[in-house]
Amino acid sequence: MAALIVLSILIIDQIIKIWVKTHMTLHEQIEIFSWFKIVFIENNGMAYGMEIGSKLVLSIFRIVAIGLLGWYIAMQAKKHARWGYMICLSMIMAGAAGNIFDSMFYGLIFNASSEYYASYFVPFGTGYAPFLMGKVVDMFYFPLIVTTWPDWVPFVGGQPYVFFSPIFNFADSAISVGVVLLLLFYRREIGELSLKKETNESLNKETEESLNKESEANEA
């Protein structure tokens, strides 16, 4: 079940991204409703366009995190964990994998995006960036409220304000929904994981103290 969820999210995410990248110019907008637009942008960072540290370090961190999460999901499957908990974990893993896929391969198989023409496939390895340095494609924009700050508000008075301004992709949505559902309905599992970590740390500390005392006794 977990593998099917991950695969389904990955396929949907990549279909949307590839369509946007090959049919829209950079920063082009398609208005679906006044509060929902498709806006093509690319970013080097994490979910919702955040940028944190080195691109290469970020990509490597993502790969390691995905590997650890995949191992944890496999362990939970063997323990017959609740299906809802498994779905949430699978959604988070799939979302992270969807974005790292962009970083890994888009720079190798696409030319650079432009405001003047839609991107297209190029021979493998001749794209705009090396392995792990590709940009993540984002497109969903929900400007639910577009207004202006009142003049009396300090520092921002008179400036435009958009409620929920991030532009994100399907993979980001999967991560966000998975995390929210975990916090709402599976706090017990999260608490057990935290308790297990604290117990292991306590045991390791006790073992270390015991070994130190034994060493001191031998020296005496």
PDB file of all heavy atoms in Angstrom, residues 102-111 122-132 134:
ATOM      1  N   ASP A 102      13.266  16.444  -9.229  1.00  0.00           N
ATOM      2  CA  ASP A 102      13.546  17.647 -10.028  1.00  0.00           C
ATOM      3  C   ASP A 102      15.022  18.018  -9.940  1.00  0.00           C
ATOM      4  O   ASP A 102      15.671  18.306 -10.943  1.00  0.00           O
ATOM      5  CB  ASP A 102      12.711  18.827  -9.528  1.00  0.00           C
ATOM      6  CG  ASP A 102      11.216  18.610  -9.694  1.00  0.00           C
ATOM      7  OD1 ASP A 102      10.794  17.445  -9.818  1.00  0.00           O
ATOM      8  OD2 ASP A 102      10.473  19.598  -9.685  1.00  0.00           O
ATOM      9  N   SER A 103      15.530  18.055  -8.710  1.00  0.00           N
ATOM     10  CA  SER A 103      16.929  18.447  -8.499  1.00  0.00           C
ATOM     11  C   SER A 103      17.890  17.476  -9.163  1.00  0.00           C
ATOM     12  O   SER A 103      18.929  17.875  -9.703  1.00  0.00           O
ATOM     13  CB  SER A 103      17.223  18.534  -7.004  1.00  0.00           C
ATOM     14  OG  SER A 103      16.430  19.508  -6.377  1.00  0.00           O
ATOM     15  N   MET A 104      17.556  16.207  -9.129  1.00  0.00           N
ATOM     16  CA  MET A 104      18.446  15.189  -9.671  1.00  0.00           C
ATOM     17  C   MET A 104      18.500  15.202 -11.202  1.00  0.00           C
ATOM     18  O   MET A 104      19.583  15.106 -11.786  1.00  0.00           O
ATOM     19  CB  MET A 104      18.015  13.805  -9.174  1.00  0.00           C
ATOM     20  CG  MET A 104      18.205  13.585  -7.680  1.00  0.00           C
ATOM     21  SD  MET A 104      17.463  12.036  -7.092  1.00  0.00           S
ATOM     22  CE  MET A 104      18.529  10.832  -7.874  1.00  0.00           C
ATOM     23  N   PHE A 105      17.336  15.333 -11.846  1.00  0.00           N
ATOM     24  CA  PHE A 105      17.281  15.056 -13.285  1.00  0.00           C
ATOM     25  C   PHE A 105      16.866  16.218 -14.187  1.00  0.00           C
ATOM     26  O   PHE A 105      17.230  16.227 -15.365  1.00  0.00           O
ATOM     27  CB  PHE A 105      16.339  13.872 -13.539  1.00  0.00           C
ATOM     28  CG  PHE A 105      16.794  12.597 -12.889  1.00  0.00           C
ATOM     29  CD1 PHE A 105      16.068  12.048 -11.844  1.00  0.00           C
ATOM     30  CD2 PHE A 105      17.950  11.957 -13.296  1.00  0.00           C
ATOM     31  CE1 PHE A 105      16.483  10.874 -11.227  1.00  0.00           C
ATOM     32  CE2 PHE A 105      18.377  10.789 -12.697  1.00  0.00           C
ATOM     33  CZ  PHE A 105      17.641  10.244 -11.652  1.00  0.00           C
ATOM     34  N   TYR A 106      16.117  17.183 -13.678  1.00  0.00           N
ATOM     35  CA  TYR A 106      15.622  18.225 -14.573  1.00  0.00           C
ATOM     36  C   TYR A 106      16.754  19.022 -15.222  1.00  0.00           C
ATOM     37  O   TYR A 106      16.644  19.446 -16.368  1.00  0.00           O
ATOM     38  CB  TYR A 106      14.670  19.164 -13.829  1.00  0.00           C
ATOM     39  CG  TYR A 106      13.255  18.638 -13.750  1.00  0.00           C
ATOM     40  CD1 TYR A 106      12.995  17.274 -13.857  1.00  0.00           C
ATOM     41  CD2 TYR A 106      12.178  19.493 -13.565  1.00  0.00           C
ATOM     42  CE1 TYR A 106      11.708  16.773 -13.774  1.00  0.00           C
ATOM     43  CE2 TYR A 106      10.873  19.002 -13.486  1.00  0.00           C
ATOM     44  CZ  TYR A 106      10.651  17.644 -13.594  1.00  0.00           C
ATOM     45  OH  TYR A 106       9.364  17.155 -13.516  1.00  0.00           O
ATOM     46  N   GLY A 107      17.833  19.247 -14.479  1.00  0.00           N
ATOM     47  CA  GLY A 107      18.965  19.971 -15.051  1.00  0.00           C
ATOM     48  C   GLY A 107      19.666  19.203 -16.142  1.00  0.00           C
ATOM     49  O   GLY A 107      20.372  19.786 -16.974  1.00  0.00           O
ATOM     50  N   LEU A 108      19.464  17.874 -16.156  1.00  0.00           N
ATOM     51  CA  LEU A 108      20.115  17.023 -17.152  1.00  0.00           C
ATOM     52  C   LEU A 108      19.283  16.830 -18.412  1.00  0.00           C
ATOM     53  O   LEU A 108      19.826  16.581 -19.487  1.00  0.00           O
ATOM     54  CB  LEU A 108      20.416  15.643 -16.544  1.00  0.00           C
ATOM     55  CG  LEU A 108      21.333  15.608 -15.321  1.00  0.00           C
ATOM     56  CD1 LEU A 108      21.392  14.200 -14.755  1.00  0.00           C
ATOM     57  CD2 LEU A 108      22.732  16.088 -15.682  1.00  0.00           C
ATOM     58  N   ILE A 109      17.945  16.959 -18.291  1.00  0.00           N
ATOM     59  CA  ILE A 109      17.088  16.601 -19.424  1.00  0.00           C
ATOM     60  C   ILE A 109      16.328  17.775 -20.036  1.00  0.00           C
ATOM     61  O   ILE A 109      15.705  17.621 -21.080  1.00  0.00           O
ATOM     62  CB  ILE A 109      16.073  15.517 -19.001  1.00  0.00           C
ATOM     63  CG1 ILE A 109      15.144  16.048 -17.906  1.00  0.00           C
ATOM     64  CG2 ILE A 109      16.785  14.254 -18.551  1.00  0.00           C
ATOM     65  CD1 ILE A 109      14.043  15.067 -17.513  1.00  0.00           C
ATOM     66  N   PHE A 110      16.400  18.961 -19.399  1.00  0.00           N
ATOM     67  CA  PHE A 110      15.713  20.143 -19.936  1.00  0.00           C
ATOM     68  C   PHE A 110      16.713  21.261 -20.209  1.00  0.00           C
ATOM     69  O   PHE A 110      17.742  21.369 -19.540  1.00  0.00           O
ATOM     70  CB  PHE A 110      14.678  20.674 -18.943  1.00  0.00           C
ATOM     71  CG  PHE A 110      13.438  19.837 -18.815  1.00  0.00           C
ATOM     72  CD1 PHE A 110      13.190  19.115 -17.656  1.00  0.00           C
ATOM     73  CD2 PHE A 110      12.517  19.771 -19.855  1.00  0.00           C
ATOM     74  CE1 PHE A 110      12.045  18.348 -17.533  1.00  0.00           C
ATOM     75  CE2 PHE A 110      11.369  19.008 -19.733  1.00  0.00           C
ATOM     76  CZ  PHE A 110      11.135  18.295 -18.565  1.00  0.00           C
ATOM     77  N   ASN A 111      16.370  22.118 -21.175  1.00  0.00           N
ATOM     78  CA  ASN A 111      17.131  23.366 -21.320  1.00  0.00           C
ATOM     79  C   ASN A 111      16.615  24.365 -20.286  1.00  0.00           C
ATOM     80  O   ASN A 111      15.574  24.143 -19.654  1.00  0.00           O
ATOM     81  CB  ASN A 111      16.986  23.926 -22.733  1.00  0.00           C
ATOM     82  CG  ASN A 111      15.577  24.439 -22.990  1.00  0.00           C
ATOM     83  OD1 ASN A 111      14.599  23.812 -22.607  1.00  0.00           O
ATOM     84  ND2 ASN A 111      15.470  25.578 -23.647  1.00  0.00           N
ATOM     85  N   VAL A 122      16.124  17.931 -23.868  1.00  0.00           N
ATOM     86  CA  VAL A 122      17.397  17.919 -24.598  1.00  0.00           C
ATOM     87  C   VAL A 122      18.057  16.558 -24.359  1.00  0.00           C
ATOM     88  O   VAL A 122      17.638  15.820 -23.464  1.00  0.00           O
ATOM     89  CB  VAL A 122      18.323  19.058 -24.110  1.00  0.00           C
ATOM     90  CG1 VAL A 122      17.699  20.416 -24.402  1.00  0.00           C
ATOM     91  CG2 VAL A 122      18.636  18.916 -22.627  1.00  0.00           C
ATOM     92  N   PRO A 123      19.060  16.192 -25.144  1.00  0.00           N
ATOM     93  CA  PRO A 123      19.754  14.915 -24.899  1.00  0.00           C
ATOM     94  C   PRO A 123      20.260  14.837 -23.461  1.00  0.00           C
ATOM     95  O   PRO A 123      20.741  15.825 -22.910  1.00  0.00           O
ATOM     96  CB  PRO A 123      20.912  14.946 -25.913  1.00  0.00           C
ATOM     97  CG  PRO A 123      20.409  15.814 -27.021  1.00  0.00           C
ATOM     98  CD  PRO A 123      19.575  16.870 -26.361  1.00  0.00           C
ATOM     99  N   PHE A 124      20.155  13.658 -22.882  1.00  0.00           N
ATOM    100  CA  PHE A 124      20.497  13.477 -21.469  1.00  0.00           C
ATOM    101  C   PHE A 124      21.917  13.974 -21.187  1.00  0.00           C
ATOM    102  O   PHE A 124      22.862  13.614 -21.872  1.00  0.00           O
ATOM    103  CB  PHE A 124      20.390  12.001 -21.087  1.00  0.00           C
ATOM    104  CG  PHE A 124      20.543  11.750 -19.613  1.00  0.00           C
ATOM    105  CD1 PHE A 124      19.450  11.868 -18.759  1.00  0.00           C
ATOM    106  CD2 PHE A 124      21.774  11.416 -19.071  1.00  0.00           C
ATOM    107  CE1 PHE A 124      19.589  11.642 -17.395  1.00  0.00           C
ATOM    108  CE2 PHE A 124      21.920  11.189 -17.711  1.00  0.00           C
ATOM    109  CZ  PHE A 124      20.819  11.304 -16.866  1.00  0.00           C
ATOM    110  N   GLY A 125      22.042  14.807 -20.159  1.00  0.00           N
ATOM    111  CA  GLY A 125      23.345  15.322 -19.754  1.00  0.00           C
ATOM    112  C   GLY A 125      23.729  16.634 -20.395  1.00  0.00           C
ATOM    113  O   GLY A 125      24.782  17.191 -20.069  1.00  0.00           O
ATOM    114  N   THR A 126      22.891  17.151 -21.295  1.00  0.00           N
ATOM    115  CA  THR A 126      23.226  18.406 -21.978  1.00  0.00           C
ATOM    116  C   THR A 126      22.311  19.551 -21.548  1.00  0.00           C
ATOM    117  O   THR A 126      22.215  20.565 -22.239  1.00  0.00           O
ATOM    118  CB  THR A 126      23.143  18.234 -23.506  1.00  0.00           C
ATOM    119  OG1 THR A 126      21.786  17.911 -23.874  1.00  0.00           O
ATOM    120  CG2 THR A 126      24.056  17.118 -23.986  1.00  0.00           C
ATOM    121  N   GLY A 127      21.627  19.390 -20.420  1.00  0.00           N
ATOM    122  CA  GLY A 127      20.692  20.397 -19.957  1.00  0.00           C
ATOM    123  C   GLY A 127      21.353  21.571 -19.266  1.00  0.00           C
ATOM    124  O   GLY A 127      22.555  21.813 -19.410  1.00  0.00           O
ATOM    125  N   TYR A 128      20.570  22.293 -18.476  1.00  0.00           N
ATOM    126  CA  TYR A 128      21.015  23.557 -17.915  1.00  0.00           C
ATOM    127  C   TYR A 128      21.813  23.436 -16.622  1.00  0.00           C
ATOM    128  O   TYR A 128      22.384  24.419 -16.150  1.00  0.00           O
ATOM    129  CB  TYR A 128      19.815  24.476 -17.684  1.00  0.00           C
ATOM    130  CG  TYR A 128      18.863  24.008 -16.597  1.00  0.00           C
ATOM    131  CD1 TYR A 128      19.065  24.366 -15.268  1.00  0.00           C
ATOM    132  CD2 TYR A 128      17.765  23.222 -16.907  1.00  0.00           C
ATOM    133  CE1 TYR A 128      18.190  23.947 -14.276  1.00  0.00           C
ATOM    134  CE2 TYR A 128      16.886  22.804 -15.930  1.00  0.00           C
ATOM    135  CZ  TYR A 128      17.103  23.164 -14.613  1.00  0.00           C
ATOM    136  OH  TYR A 128      16.241  22.731 -13.631  1.00  0.00           O
ATOM    137  N   ALA A 129      21.869  22.221 -16.024  1.00  0.00           N
ATOM    138  CA  ALA A 129      22.562  22.086 -14.734  1.00  0.00           C
ATOM    139  C   ALA A 129      23.039  20.645 -14.550  1.00  0.00           C
ATOM    140  O   ALA A 129      22.463  19.715 -15.127  1.00  0.00           O
ATOM    141  CB  ALA A 129      21.642  22.482 -13.580  1.00  0.00           C
ATOM    142  N   PRO A 130      24.079  20.445 -13.736  1.00  0.00           N
ATOM    143  CA  PRO A 130      24.559  19.086 -13.470  1.00  0.00           C
ATOM    144  C   PRO A 130      23.649  18.324 -12.513  1.00  0.00           C
ATOM    145  O   PRO A 130      22.681  18.874 -11.973  1.00  0.00           O
ATOM    146  CB  PRO A 130      25.942  19.329 -12.849  1.00  0.00           C
ATOM    147  CG  PRO A 130      25.851  20.682 -12.238  1.00  0.00           C
ATOM    148  CD  PRO A 130      24.940  21.475 -13.125  1.00  0.00           C
ATOM    149  N   PHE A 131      23.969  17.083 -12.284  1.00  0.00           N
ATOM    150  CA  PHE A 131      23.213  16.202 -11.393  1.00  0.00           C
ATOM    151  C   PHE A 131      23.097  16.826 -10.004  1.00  0.00           C
ATOM    152  O   PHE A 131      24.064  17.352  -9.467  1.00  0.00           O
ATOM    153  CB  PHE A 131      23.931  14.853 -11.305  1.00  0.00           C
ATOM    154  CG  PHE A 131      23.226  13.817 -10.479  1.00  0.00           C
ATOM    155  CD1 PHE A 131      21.990  13.323 -10.876  1.00  0.00           C
ATOM    156  CD2 PHE A 131      23.800  13.346  -9.316  1.00  0.00           C
ATOM    157  CE1 PHE A 131      21.350  12.346 -10.117  1.00  0.00           C
ATOM    158  CE2 PHE A 131      23.166  12.381  -8.551  1.00  0.00           C
ATOM    159  CZ  PHE A 131      21.933  11.879  -8.948  1.00  0.00           C
ATOM    160  N   LEU A 132      21.903  16.780  -9.449  1.00  0.00           N
ATOM    161  CA  LEU A 132      21.560  17.311  -8.121  1.00  0.00           C
ATOM    162  C   LEU A 132      21.439  18.833  -8.067  1.00  0.00           C
ATOM    163  O   LEU A 132      21.178  19.393  -7.008  1.00  0.00           O
ATOM    164  CB  LEU A 132      22.561  16.865  -7.042  1.00  0.00           C
ATOM    165  CG  LEU A 132      22.523  15.392  -6.634  1.00  0.00           C
ATOM    166  CD1 LEU A 132      23.601  15.111  -5.602  1.00  0.00           C
ATOM    167  CD2 LEU A 132      21.156  15.010  -6.083  1.00  0.00           C
ATOM    168  N   GLY A 134      19.484  20.682 -10.365  1.00  0.00           N
ATOM    169  CA  GLY A 134      18.310  21.154 -11.085  1.00  0.00           C
ATOM    170  C   GLY A 134      17.379  21.950 -10.189  1.00  0.00           C
ATOM    171  O   GLY A 134      17.445  21.864  -8.959  1.00  0.00           O
TER     172      GLY A 134
END
